[in-house]
Amino acid sequence: MSSNIAPAQVELTIPCQPEYVAVARLAMSGIASRMHFTYEQIEDLRLAVGELCTLSVEWANKNNRQEARIVLRTEISSNKLTVDILDTAGPRHCGEGTGRDVEEENLAQLLITLLVDEAEVIPQPDGTLVRMVKYVGQR
Amino acid sequence: MSSNIAPAQVELTIPCQPEYVAVARLAMSGIASRMHFTYEQIEDLRLAVGELCTLSVEWANKNNRQEARIVLRTEISSNKLTVDILDTAGPRHCGEGTGRDVEEENLAQLLITLLVDEAEVIPQPDGTLVRMVKYVGQR
Amino acid sequence: MNFKIETQTLEDNLPVIRLGGEVDVYTAPQLKQAMIALLEKGVKRFIVDLTNVEYLDSTALGVLIGGLKRIREVGGNLLLICPSARIRRVFEITGLDKVFDMHNSEDEAKKAPEKE
Amino acid sequence: MNFKIETQTLEDNLPVIRLGGEVDVYTAPQLKQAMIALLEKGVKRFIVDLTNVEYLDSTALGVLIGGLKRIREVGGNLLLICPSARIRRVFEITGLDKVFDMHNSEDEAKKAPEKE
Ligand SMILES: Nc1ncnc2c1ncn2[C@@H]1O[C@H](COP(=O)(O)OP(=O)(O)O)[C@@H](O)[C@H]1O
Ligand SMILES: Nc1ncnc2c1ncn2[C@@H]1O[C@H](COP(=O)(O)OP(=O)(O)O)[C@@H](O)[C@H]1O
């Protein structure tokens, strides 16, 4: 229930804390609803954003960054939605987990891979950027 | 279903266009749910944010500002929620409507007044800031 | 956007506009179009069914008020079906529950006496 | 936050943890506590009812897997009630629908043969 709308950006900044992950998910649902996604694809995006924010929260916790923030940035264009999740949760050391249950971490990775069409991890000076892409009309 | 959480800010930036007002409302619901608000109070905030964003959209339209944006900024503290709605929709000339139906405009004003505890309009160089406050445990 | 609109004509030739989801600044224009379509056909009495509406703002109220005015000008009436307490509250706090003929169900609305 | 948890004991002494709303990184710790409470009482078989769950993430799955492992170590079992297609899908895409005993209703779960 959307129309052909011009490319547009939405940006949301939340504290990198467990209780705010739901805010990011809700915003993601609202944004995705503006596009020609199916109900299931909107659910996928909500879940993927939830998993990515949870990962950020776990790293902020491990790196002891109480002040860390998550920025969710979405760019809508006619055939795809690009979602950036940028955190200031500090470094994610290679091969080192967050101390989180390994299975949970694997499940999170699995879900992200399955739910979006592309996902790229781009380390940042003060945290991590994950860029996801979901195409309209694909599964 | 929330706990005593530290003061925290959430910020959302959306295009000042009709189709994004729902995103602001959803985010507002999510944020308000983090506090000890009743279900009805959360609804009130959602409605108030919807009305304020609609007002911004109407002014952007009247001022021909296709590029205008709305920033929703919330500050949670233990006993109250402060919500800033800042737009870059250009000036709101006194005594002049948006060309919107006068009754609708009056209804919007009435709703905002009734739904939050405080609401202050602070003109900005490039648009308008409205600051609303809602106290926990009050009606 | 979670929004639905559908116009149906009941057996007794009474048109009903059924709305669902969020009726706001983005979607209310579709309600306006649907009401104008009925008014232009010369309809004197119709129902707007808000049963499945989850959210309704001043824009939607304005459109409903506009429709009410136009139909009352020709001696007709517009009936609202609004069983939801959440939506009814928006009418109550704005005093509009006294302006509109509000009913809880289609049956109740159909039995309502024709207003002048 | 839209989340509910409740532990109840059915007539046949079978405990059931009923969840509602969103089970995620913020709320899953409450599920973990509720499961630990049952395990510490020596319970060998219990139900987790996901009927009213609207959202469930990897944290919640991890907590359920942890509970399943602990109860299977003592030769017991954990039964899931999950009639919702939306939630079941999360189990399916992760392959966990084959790991858990999943049922559509409480009746169906109670009739399930005791494993092991
Ligand atoms: N709370 C309100 N907010 C805005 N407009 C209102 C309100 N209450 C009443 N009205 C106005 O009253 C009108 C309906 O009044 P009514 O007495 O039913 O008909 P009439 O104006 O033809 O006498 C509506 O069209 C609307 O313009
Ligand atoms: N998709 C999956 N993601 C993560 N863990 C899984 C998955 N599938 C199976 N597992 C693991 O398998 C375990 C259950 O396996 P199961 O064969 O039922 O018992 P056991 O490991 O005692 O033989 C779970 O505890 C979990 O660790």
Side-chain angles (χ1 to χ4, degrees), chain B residues 101-104 106-107 110, chain C residues 61-62 64-70 72-73 77 90-100 115:
Chain B
D101 188 287
V102 181
E103 258 165 21
E104 273 181 40
N106 290 345
L107 279 170
L110 178 66
Chain C
L61 292 175
L64 290 172
I65 290 172
L68 183 71
K69 280 187 170 171
R70 283 192 58 181
R72 286 200 180 157
E73 274 165 17
N77 200 12
V90 180
F91 285 88
E92 283 165 1
I93 60 182
T94 53
L96 289 169
D97 57 328
K98 296 184 184 61
V99 174
F100 286 98
K115 258 204 187 168

Side-chain angles (χ1 to χ4, degrees), chain B residues 14-135:
Chain B
I14 54 170
C16 191
Q17 293 162 14
E19 58 266 46
Y20 287 93
V21 172
V23 176
R25 289 199 305 260
L26 264 181
M28 186 70 256
S29 301
I31 295 159
S33 303
R34 253 104 288 280
M35 300 182 72
H36 289 291
F37 284 125
T38 62
Y39 181 76
E40 208 171 61
Q41 286 175 318
I42 295 172
E43 272 295 300
D44 287 357
L45 279 161
R46 184 161 81 120
L47 197 47
V49 163
E51 294 299 338
L52 284 172
C53 290
T54 299
L55 227 47
S56 295
V57 167
E58 305 278 355
W59 277 108
N61 188 40
K62 162 142 191 183
N63 290 330
N64 223 352
R65 299 263 190 137
Q66 286 84 4
E67 299 305 309
R69 319 221 5 116
I70 298 174
V71 180
L72 171 81
R73 200 178 290 126
T74 64
E75 173 102 30
I76 290 184
S77 67
S78 58
N79 70 328
K80 67 175 182 177
L81 175 67
T82 305
V83 182
D84 283 356
I85 309 246
L86 171 68
D87 69 46
T88 54
R92 300 189 183 182
H93 296 296
C94 268
E96 207 183 291
T98 53
R100 186 183 181 186
D101 188 287
V102 181
E103 258 165 21
E104 273 181 40
E105 191 131 4
N106 290 345
L107 279 170
Q109 293 293 356
L110 178 66
L111 282 168
I112 294 161
T113 312
L114 292 171
L115 296 172
V116 296
D117 296 315
E118 295 167 21
E120 188 185 0
V121 181
I122 308 155
Q124 301 292 303
D126 201 34
T128 305
L129 166 66
V130 180
R131 173 161 294 175
M132 304 192 298
V133 178
K134 183 115 185 156
Y135 292 92

